[in-house]
């Protein structure tokens, strides 16, 4: 068996693998798609110490760094189950039918943004359609943007962006349903409009970038188009944890519950990055959490009986 088996090959998994391998223990990494969300990212300007880079470039660096160590990388493999046997070994079942055993496991399967599923969203992703205000807000400095989503994350994004961009229009599907304190702050901002009871129709562009957002006003039934250069979609972040239901404790949002060491509800099973309850989903945070979970797994191993 492995000493540490990491499930997920994004920034959290890569950091965990390097930290484990540096302890000289048997380390495996199984990933559906090495690189994770970073592969889908264009400009990255908040990876500290690197002023600006692109997702695929950062992933190449991650992979090179992991391959520098003795890590058994199993790419294009999907984990479907997790169980801990009577002998204390964890078993990860793969979609291929194979299974892997390990003395400890670090889950770092990440998350994905919920999409609007309207025409233009996919085509203009990274060319005006954005999902992360912390990441992409500064790219829209002084411009007009729309935020889609009337929950806490939509309103937080609108408040955040209002300080950077020229003008924000928040579109909510029903009423705005954020905490009162956020709604009050939003209402105090001079460069924010709120439109409720909308259905998004299409992201409009000129073939190169976003120029507008078409929606229907459900109250009047009228079709309208907002002129914007950016559309921030804030309708939910879905953790990739469906395969863990019933094996480790998950929050109401499906995030893996972890303590300050990344320990889950199952002994010997740790988790890190966007798939966990740790707030703020960012590359540097995922890497730090991956390193932390790996050190905690090592500490667990040196306190456990040898197989
Ligand atoms: P992920 O990157 O999601 O990686 C998850 C890994 O697990 C992948 O390898 C995946 O294939 C694998 N996996 C999932 N399920 C399974 C399974 N069942 N079996 C096996 N493997 C599985 N953050 C920033 O800090 N700066 C930015 O500028 C920035 N821009 C972004 C732009 C976009 C478009 C997106 C989508 C995200 C952006 N982020 C940015 C967020 C950042 O990418 C994430 O916070 C970070 O990638 C999380 O790392 P992670 O390792 O936890 O998960």
């Amino acid at each position: 068996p492995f000493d540490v088996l990491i499930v997920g090959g994004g920034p959290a998994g890569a950091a965990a693998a390097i930290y484990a391998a540096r302890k000289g223990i048997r380390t495996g990494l199984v990933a559906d798609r090495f690189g994770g969300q970073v592969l889908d990212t264009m400009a990255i300007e908040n990876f500290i110490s690197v002023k600006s880079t692109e997702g695929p470039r950062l992933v190449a660096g991650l992979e090179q760094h992991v391959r520098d160590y003795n890590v058994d990388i199993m790419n294009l493999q999907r984990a479907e189950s997790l169980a801990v046997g009577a002998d204390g070994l964890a078993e990860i079942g793969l979609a291929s039918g194979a299974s892997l055993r390990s003395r400890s496991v670090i889950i770092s399967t990440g998350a994905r943004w919920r999409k609007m599923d309207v025409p233009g969203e996919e085509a203009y992703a990274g060319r005006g359609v954005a999902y992360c205000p912390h990441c992409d807000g500064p790219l829209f400095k002084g411009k007009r943007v729309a935020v889609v989503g009337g929950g806490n994350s939509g309103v937080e994004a609108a408040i955040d962006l209002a300080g950077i961009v020229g003008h924000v229009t928040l579109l909510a599907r029903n009423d705005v349903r954020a905490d009162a304190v956020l709604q009050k702050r939003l209402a105090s901002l001079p460069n924010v409009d709120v439109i409720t009871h909308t259905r998004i129709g299409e992201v409009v562009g000129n073939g190169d970038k976003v120029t507008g957002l078409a929606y229907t006003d459900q109250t009047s039934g009228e079709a309208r188009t907002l002129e914007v250069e950016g559309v921030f979609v804030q309708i939910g972040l879905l953790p990739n944890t469906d395969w863990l239901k019933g094996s480790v404790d998950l929050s109401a949002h499906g995030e893996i519950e972890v303590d300050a060491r990344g320990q889950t509800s199952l002994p010997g099973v740790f988790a890190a990055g966007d798939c966990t309850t740790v707030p703020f989903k960012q590359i540097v945070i995922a890497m730090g959490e991956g390193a932390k979970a790996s050190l905690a797994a090592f500490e667990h191993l040196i306190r456990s009986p040898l197989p």
Side-chain angles (χ1 to χ4, degrees), residues 82-135:
L82 161 71
V84 177
D87 56 3
L89 286 180
E91 185 165 329
I92 296 286
L94 302 179
S96 68
S99 69
L100 302 166
R101 280 151 52 91
S102 183
R103 294 178 64 211
S104 69
V105 168
I106 299 172
I107 305 165
S108 54
T109 45
R112 60 201 188 276
W113 296 98
R114 192 195 293 274
K115 303 262 155 66
M116 299 185 291
D117 279 330
V118 298
E121 179 178 27
E122 191 94 41
Y124 289 105
R127 296 191 291 155
V129 175
Y131 297 87
C132 172
H134 318 300
C135 310

Side-chain angles (χ1 to χ4, degrees), residues 3-64:
D3 290 315
V4 177
L5 178 62
I6 295 140
V7 186
I18 291 168
Y19 267 73
R22 285 172 63 81
K23 296 293 186 190
I25 55 181
R26 267 206 82 191
T27 307
L29 184 151
V30 56
D32 202 13
R33 190 172 68 128
F34 189 93
Q37 292 171 71
V38 180
L39 273 183
D40 305 324
T41 305
M42 304 279 178
I44 301 171
E45 299 184 340
N46 57 3
F47 184 55
I48 309 309
S49 87
V50 179
K51 220 172 90 177
S52 156
T53 188
E54 280 149 23
R57 206 159 135 205
L58 181 55
V59 171
L62 282 180
E63 184 166 357
Q64 202 174 40

Side-chain angles (χ1 to χ4, degrees), residues 42-293:
M42 304 279 178
I44 301 171
E45 299 184 340
N46 57 3
F47 184 55
I48 309 309
S49 87
V50 179
K51 220 172 90 177
S52 156
T53 188
E54 280 149 23
R57 206 159 135 205
L58 181 55
V59 171
L62 282 180
E63 184 166 357
Q64 202 174 40
H65 199 174
V66 174
R67 288 200 186 278
D68 237 30
Y69 288 93
N70 195 8
V71 176
D72 189 349
I73 302 179
M74 295 156 275
N75 197 9
L76 310 178
Q77 299 282 343
R78 196 169 177 75
E80 284 190 333
S81 65
L82 161 71
V84 177
D87 56 3
L89 286 180
E91 185 165 329
I92 296 286
L94 302 179
S96 68
S99 69
L100 302 166
R101 280 151 52 91
S102 183
R103 294 178 64 211
S104 69
V105 168
I106 299 172
I107 305 165
S108 54
T109 45
R112 60 201 188 276
W113 296 98
R114 192 195 293 274
K115 303 262 155 66
M116 299 185 291
D117 279 330
V118 298
E121 179 178 27
E122 191 94 41
Y124 289 105
R127 296 191 291 155
V129 175
Y131 297 87
C132 172
H134 318 300
C135 310
D136 296 340
L139 306 177
F140 295 90
K141 196 171 169 191
K143 298 181 173 164
R144 296 179 72 86
V145 304
V147 172
V148 178
N152 278 332
S153 51
V155 173
E156 279 177 8
I159 295 168
D160 174 356
L161 290 166
I164 303 168
V165 306
H167 185 271
V168 181
T169 307
L170 179 83
L171 294 110
R173 193 174 171 83
N174 301 302
D175 287 315
V176 174
R177 272 181 300 194
D179 299 342
V181 55
L182 291 175
Q183 295 209 40
K184 206 168 150 197
R185 173 67 53 84
L186 187 74
S188 75
L189 298 171
N191 59 341
V192 178
D193 291 332
V194 177
I195 309 175
T196 60
H197 304 277
T198 57
R199 291 292 175 275
I200 306 300
E202 182 181 359
V203 176
V204 185
N206 60 10
D208 180 34
K209 49 193 174 77
V210 169
T211 57
L213 182 64
Y215 68 97
T216 307
D217 182 326
Q218 292 285 99
T219 316
S220 64
E222 265 177 70
R224 301 210 170 111
T225 301
L226 275 175
E227 274 182 37
V228 289
E229 287 175 75
V231 177
F232 283 81
V233 184
Q234 295 289 302
I235 53 177
L237 185 68
L238 307 169
N240 300 319
T241 56
D242 286 345
W243 63 288
L244 293 166
K245 276 182 191 145
S247 58
V248 296
D249 287 353
L250 304 176
S251 72
H253 300 293
E255 296 169 325
I256 303 168
E257 303 260 16
V258 289
D259 70 9
R261 311 175 95 75
Q263 170 72 58
T264 70
S265 58
L266 264 185
V269 178
F270 300 80
D274 282 15
C275 63
T276 71
T277 45
V278 171
F280 310 120
K281 314 304 188 193
Q282 294 284 280
I283 296 165
V284 283
I285 295 174
M287 283 187 179
E289 291 294 314
K292 205 165 71 175

